[in-house]
Amino acid sequence: MKQGLLIVVSGPAGSGKGTTLKHIFQSPKHGKKYTFSVSATTRAPRPGEVDGVNYHFLTRESFEARIREGERLEWTEYCGNYYGTPIAPIQRWLYEGKNVILEIEVQGAEKVMDKRDDLVSIFLAVPSMEELERRLRGRGTETNEVIERRLAAAKQELTRVPRYQYVVLNDEVEQAVARINTIIDAENLRYSRM
């Protein structure tokens, strides 16, 4: 059996990672090709988020215990909260031939890049910093101070783009979805993966 692809999709907060991936998973043509790895975080759930679906919401103590026990493929602290990826289900899904998508922050993506050379890395970009700020403020879920921290973090994250194999502009969700699906289709055709 052919092993599945490990796909990292990251970008600044507000770049539309969640929205874009939601469209990918809901696509009748492409959605069944992917398995979504649910990350863990210590941040509070946003309105409408469900534990185990959007994130595994953990206390700091519980998250730190999982780090010590080696249960994370990667983890990082971002804007005062931990984010991380459980390793066991990913290994199982890849072995079963499933394509696994990780929606993770840039720091976490770089940690995965440092550990694995078999992944597909995609940076989701926004047209401008002004558009990014508009999206963050439009959420209406964070304080002005948190938004300012996220914008400052985004400027730093943009300097890390050269580490990625692909950059996808998220100017329109449907176009971003089509671009990501094209990348994955091409990656599955690589000689080295046959």
Side-chain angles (χ1 to χ4, degrees):
M1 178 188 300
K2 182 177 162 185
Q3 182 165 314
L5 296 176
L6 180 58
I7 305 153
V8 170
V9 177
S10 60
S15 60
K17 298 180 296 292
T19 301
T20 301
L21 292 177
K22 180 179 177 184
H23 279 76
I24 286 174
F25 283 104
Q26 290 176 345
S27 163
K29 182 178 178 184
H30 294 283
K32 303 244 186 283
K33 293 182 186 180
Y34 306 112
T35 299
F36 182 69
S37 172
V38 178
S39 295
T41 185
T42 58
R43 79 159 168 76
R46 293 187 183 124
E49 288 185 328
V50 177
D51 185 44
V53 175
N54 304 99
Y55 280 98
H56 296 288
F57 295 100
L58 305 174
T59 65
R60 272 188 95 74
E61 295 76 22
S62 178
F63 197 104
E64 289 170 348
R66 286 172 168 86
I67 292 169
R68 286 190 301 274
E69 294 163 12
E71 296 179 11
R72 296 285 174 249
L73 172 62
E74 59 77 30
W75 63 272
T76 191
E77 192 168 1
Y78 179 80
C79 292
N81 291 298
Y82 283 126
Y83 293 84
T85 306
I87 193 167
I90 292 170
Q91 291 173 325
R92 184 179 70 251
W93 292 326
L94 292 174
Y95 180 76
E96 293 170 353
K98 297 176 181 175
N99 295 327
V100 180
I101 294 182
L102 307 181
E103 176 193 346
I104 55 179
E105 304 300 329
V106 172
Q107 292 175 350
E110 288 189 320
K111 288 180 181 181
V112 178
M113 289 177 207
D114 291 341
K115 289 181 181 178
R116 309 224 14 176
D117 58 3
D118 63 338
L119 67 100
V120 178
S121 57
I122 301 170
F123 187 91
L124 198 60
V126 293
S128 67
M129 289 301 290
E130 292 77 19
E131 173 63 13
L132 182 63
E133 182 173 358
R134 187 191 68 73
R135 291 180 187 184
L136 288 172
R137 293 193 186 285
R139 286 179 177 175
T141 59
E142 294 156 336
T143 66
N144 194 45
E145 179 185 335
V146 170
I147 290 170
E148 292 301 323
R149 282 200 328 251
R150 288 188 181 273
L151 288 169
K155 289 177 184 173
Q156 180 62 35
E157 290 166 340
L158 288 169
T159 68
R160 309 308 300 156
V161 171
R163 293 248 8 228
Y164 290 79
Q165 296 164 315
Y166 300 96
V167 176
V168 170
L169 178 64
N170 187 11
D171 48 353
E172 294 180 26
V173 174
E174 294 78 16
Q175 288 295 319
V177 167
R179 292 168 185 143
I180 290 172
N181 283 323
T182 298
I183 289 166
I184 302 312
D185 288 344
E187 284 290 332
N188 274 308
L189 295 174
R190 277 185 186 262
Y191 177 76
S192 62
R193 298 190 196 278
M194 298 284 182

